[in-house]
Amino acid sequence: MDKNYKEYVDKISPKPTYAKNYILAFIVGGIICVIGQAINDVYMNFGLDKLKAAGATSMTLIFVGAFLTGLGVYDLIGKRAGAGSIIPITGFANSIVSPAMEYKREGYVMGVGANLFKIAGPVLVYGIGSSVLCGLIYYIIKFVI
């Protein structure tokens, strides 16, 4: 019975178009990166040095990604682009805002606030924790040894 059901599901399931998915992910991810580079160039033309322009560009892309997620536009981009919309920093903003948007009816504190870091929270915790651990190892190696 299990084997027949699996064969039936395999038969009627739509087959993914891998080449199309790869191309769309590459194009959309590339467009997001080009937009990020253009924003960075604008900040540098306004007089920011390279480091400050990079920080301002990151903040701008996070804001735009969060704003587009709030409007529901980023989800439409993600349906077409797949990983092309997830990999850049705008995907990080989407991963923070999406869970919060689902629970906005429960209020700002218990809905949005409680669910804001549901997906990105563990990533941030492990990222910060591993950077502290790497920093301690570097400190021990550099100054003690």
Side-chain angles (χ1 to χ4, degrees):
M1 185 84 163
D2 253 323
K3 183 180 177 187
N4 293 336
Y5 180 72
K6 184 179 177 344
E7 289 174 1
Y8 172 72
V9 169
D10 289 340
K11 182 180 174 184
I12 66 168
S13 294
K15 304 297 181 237
T17 53
Y18 291 113
K20 178 183 159 195
N21 292 345
Y22 294 151
I23 291 169
L24 280 174
F26 179 78
I27 290 171
V28 172
I31 289 171
I32 292 171
C33 292
V34 166
I35 291 169
Q37 184 63 50
I39 293 169
N40 189 56
D41 292 345
V42 168
Y43 282 131
M44 289 183 72
N45 287 335
F46 279 132
L48 293 178
D49 64 358
K50 191 174 185 177
L51 186 62
K52 289 181 182 176
T57 300
S58 295
M59 288 187 286
T60 302
L61 287 172
I62 290 171
F63 171 77
V64 169
F67 185 72
L68 292 177
T69 299
L71 295 176
V73 174
Y74 204 85
D75 294 333
L76 297 175
I77 296 169
K79 283 182 184 178
R80 286 283 186 219
S85 67
I86 296 171
I87 301 293
I89 198 166
T90 52
F92 170 74
N94 183 349
S95 71
I96 290 177
V97 175
S98 289
M101 295 301 295
E102 290 179 28
Y103 294 96
K104 68 181 175 183
R105 291 186 180 157
E106 294 179 19
Y108 289 114
V109 175
M110 296 305 291
V112 175
N115 292 292
L116 195 58
F117 293 102
K118 189 175 262 186
I119 294 175
V123 174
L124 293 171
V125 169
Y126 287 115
I128 293 168
S130 64
S131 68
V132 169
L133 182 64
C134 288
L136 288 173
I137 292 170
Y138 176 76
Y139 178 79
I140 291 170
I141 292 172
K142 184 174 180 182
F143 292 109
V144 175
I145 296 179

